[in-house]
Amino acid sequence: PGLSYTWLFNNNTLDLREDSRRFVSQATGNLYLAKVEPWDVGNYTCAVSSTQAQRQVWGPPTALTLRGDGVMGEYEPKIEVRFPETTYAAKGSSVRLECFALGK
């Protein structure tokens, strides 16, 4: 509880208010892109904020590229964040939350 997720595209915050092709789940942090276009190619970075800790952290950039052959491979394209349901930490300690991507 108290976590919120934002995604950056090429170091700029994704503005999703009027974008029906992209969606960020505030329950999981997953970024969903529908009907990928050439202008979607670039680096995506997940930012996780905690209001309680008054802190924001960023994951490493994840590159999205298009395949020219149309072959999707084993996974459908998606970028997602996975966290355990509960993460425990002692006050004053550091916690690492990781973002990663699956797809081709």
Side-chain angles (χ1 to χ4, degrees), residues 52-85:
Q52 288 179 331
Q54 297 180 345
R55 179 140 189 221
Q56 185 175 39
V57 294
W58 293 266
T62 299
L64 175 67
T65 58
L66 293 181
R67 290 186 61 140
D69 58 12
V71 176
M72 291 308 303
E74 185 178 345
Y75 301 103
E76 292 182 6
K78 65 180 177 177
I79 298 177
E80 65 180 54
V81 181
R82 289 189 186 176
F83 297 106
E85 220 168 278

Side-chain angles (χ1 to χ4, degrees), residues 1-2 5 12-13 19 26-27 32 35-36 42 44 46 50 59 61-64 66-67 70 78 81 83 85 89:
Y5 306 92
N12 295 306
T13 301
D19 189 341
Q26 290 302 312
Y32 298 93
K35 299 178 183 174
V36 174
Y44 290 83
C46 175
S50 168
T62 299
L64 175 67
L66 293 181
R67 290 186 61 140
K78 65 180 177 177
V81 181
F83 297 106
E85 220 168 278

Side-chain angles (χ1 to χ4, degrees), residues 19-66:
D19 189 341
S20 60
R21 294 184 318 108
R22 295 185 270 198
F23 170 75
V24 176
S25 168
Q26 290 302 312
T28 64
N30 294 353
L31 168 64
Y32 298 93
L33 287 90
K35 299 178 183 174
V36 174
E37 299 288 347
W39 51 84
D40 294 319
V41 169
N43 289 312
Y44 290 83
T45 305
C46 175
V48 182
S49 300
S50 168
T51 53
Q52 288 179 331
Q54 297 180 345
R55 179 140 189 221
Q56 185 175 39
V57 294
W58 293 266
T62 299
L64 175 67
T65 58
L66 293 181

